Amino acid sequence: RIAIRPEHLLAGGTVALGTARIADVSFFGSFCRLKLDSPAGLLEAHVSPTNAPAHGETVALATDPRHIKVFPA
């Protein structure tokens, strides 16, 4: 099992995690919460309101290796 905090899921980086379609965008003041429909299931990401993709858009998921937490199965 792995975990990546929502603010690091679309942060870019050297670890490509596939793509996802934006299923929902909710504004929360300092960030937007994105619901992502991906082959791995429904995911959540947090991005700056100025960088929020549009509903229905397909985005690349990527992060930096230091943001991936691995837990024993």
Side-chain angles (χ1 to χ4, degrees), residues 8-68:
H8 298 301
L9 195 54
L10 296 178
T14 58
V15 180
L17 302 168
T19 61
R21 185 184 62 80
I22 306 297
D24 187 55
V25 180
S26 299
F27 178 70
F28 284 87
S30 62
F31 71 95
C32 286
R33 180 179 64 198
L34 309 175
K35 297 289 184 173
L36 307 168
D37 186 14
S38 79
L42 192 61
L43 304 173
E44 184 176 306
H46 296 170
V47 297
S48 165
T50 59
N51 295 330
H55 182 271
E57 189 175 331
T58 298
V59 294
L61 306 176
T63 194
D64 191 281
R66 66 192 166 116
H67 296 305
I68 298 173

